[in-house]
């Protein structure tokens, strides 16, 4: 969304403070990533929320968190009915499976299917590879700074109450 700090061409205004330029760049990356997610969703007969759900489930798996419907709903800001609808869609498409927790047979966990992971890699792989090449051009101290910035920024967004 344009604001009073950007000229009509959408490029950062050299007169604005450097930190605000960084905020605008972060916003631009977020918008571009969101557009790619929407394109992936459209190409694969999914709703954009379905793609966000897959990302949440993959993030939970990487963090060794049990991926339950409750966790997914909380991460997506959805109520129970909305969460069930997303899971049902993803299951019908073969992207997610409901499995019983081995430690508590009453609990149902969600698992992203290998075919969905392959589909995501085919689409997002070149973008991820490009970002990794950019990061490879940074020295370890620079990567640590980027990591610190992104982690702190994520904390700001995660801690602010949603409207």
């Amino acid at each position: 969304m344009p604001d009073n700090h950007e000229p009509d061409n959408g490029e950062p205004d050299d007169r604005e403070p450097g930190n605000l330029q960084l905020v605008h760049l972060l916003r631009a990356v977020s918008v571009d990533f969101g557009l790619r997610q929407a394109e992936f969703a459209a190409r694969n007969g999914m709703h954009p929320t379905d793609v966000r759900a897959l990302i949440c489930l993959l993030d939970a798996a990487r963090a060794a968190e049990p991926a339950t419907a409750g966790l997914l709903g909380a991460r997506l800001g959805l109520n129970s009915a909305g969460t069930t609808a997303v899971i049902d869609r993803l299951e019908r498409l073969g992207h997610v499976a409901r499995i019983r927790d081995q430690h508590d047979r009453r609990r149902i966990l969600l698992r992203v299917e290998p075919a969905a992971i392959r589909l995501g890699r085919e689409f997002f792989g070149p973008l991820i590879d490009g970002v990794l090449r950019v990061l490879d051009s940074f020295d370890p101290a620079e990567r640590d700074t980027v990591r610190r910035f992104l982690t702190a920024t994520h904390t700001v967004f995660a801690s602010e109450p949603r409207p």
Side-chain angles (χ1 to χ4, degrees):
M1 166 179 218
D3 58 34
N4 294 334
H5 295 285
E6 290 185 21
D8 292 338
N9 66 6
E11 293 297 314
D13 186 334
D14 289 336
R15 296 169 298 173
E16 73 183 12
N19 286 345
L20 194 53
Q21 285 182 8
L22 290 175
V23 170
H24 290 188
L25 284 170
L26 182 61
R27 182 182 62 196
V29 168
S30 297
V31 168
D32 287 341
F33 188 61
L35 290 172
R36 294 298 177 110
Q37 287 177 307
E39 181 183 343
F40 175 80
R43 284 186 184 187
N44 293 288
M46 297 169 29
H47 188 278
T49 301
D50 299 343
V51 179
R52 289 192 297 276
L54 288 171
I55 292 167
C56 289
L57 294 173
L58 291 168
D59 288 347
R62 266 191 301 283
E65 293 178 283
T68 63
L71 175 112
L72 184 61
R75 298 255 169 100
L76 294 174
L78 296 175
N79 63 23
S80 180
T83 303
T84 299
V86 169
I87 295 167
D88 287 346
R89 280 195 308 267
L90 290 172
E91 189 175 44
R92 269 193 310 277
L93 290 168
H95 297 318
V96 167
R98 289 176 166 107
I99 56 172
R100 290 217 178 269
D101 186 332
Q102 293 176 345
H103 304 291
D104 180 352
R105 303 289 294 159
R106 298 167 296 173
R107 185 163 73 160
I108 302 297
L109 299 175
L110 304 170
R111 179 187 66 215
V112 178
E113 295 288 52
I117 294 170
R118 280 192 301 278
L119 193 66
R121 280 192 184 133
E122 287 171 8
F123 184 88
F124 291 104
L127 295 169
I128 293 168
D129 290 344
V131 172
L132 290 173
R133 280 191 299 277
V134 169
L135 287 169
D136 284 343
S137 73
F138 290 17
D139 66 44
E142 290 172 317
R143 285 192 300 273
D144 286 343
T145 300
V146 171
R147 183 178 297 106
R148 193 166 47 96
F149 169 72
L150 291 174
T151 300
T153 300
H154 181 254
T155 300
V156 169
F157 278 88
S159 65
E160 281 295 313
R162 293 182 181 173

